[in-house]
Amino acid sequence: MAIAALVLGICGILLCPIVLSVPAIVFGAIAMRDINQDPSLEGKGMALAGFITGIVGTALAIIFIIILIAIGIAEENDANDNHRHWNPGPGRNYNLD
């Protein structure tokens, strides 16, 4: 479980954050719980590293999604602003005859 958490955490940061980082958090937590219950088990460092990299990958994915949403909103506002232009209207009609 600890090795799986570490591998998933690293791949989650590099490849596919949401899909791989969440299982890394889960596997890391389960591995740390099992290691704490049975001291003869090894891999606490790997379990902790997998747990942390899973959290980092999830946080990066959330930040990336927020940035994409902000860019989309900015682009939409910019597209709407291009349709608005200054139109003074007919104004006053001066008769110069």
Side-chain angles (χ1 to χ4, degrees), residues 2 12 20 22 25-26 29 49 57 75 87:
L20 299 175
V22 174
I25 295 169
V26 173
E75 289 293 324
N87 186 3

Side-chain angles (χ1 to χ4, degrees), residues 10-63:
I10 292 170
C11 291
I13 289 175
L14 299 176
L15 300 174
C16 190
I18 292 294
V19 175
L20 299 175
S21 294
V22 174
I25 295 169
V26 173
F27 285 179
I30 291 171
M32 286 190 296
R33 182 196 66 199
D34 292 345
I35 291 168
N36 287 335
Q37 288 177 352
D38 185 4
S40 66
L41 295 175
E42 296 180 0
K44 187 171 186 172
M46 285 188 287
L48 183 61
F51 184 77
I52 291 171
T53 54
I55 291 173
V56 169
T58 303
L60 289 175
I62 291 170
I63 291 169

Side-chain angles (χ1 to χ4, degrees), residues 68-88:
L68 286 179
I69 291 170
I71 289 171
I73 291 171
E75 289 293 324
E76 182 178 337
N77 288 340
D78 187 40
N80 290 337
D81 287 343
N82 288 338
H83 296 294
R84 295 184 205 147
H85 49 73
W86 185 69
N87 186 3

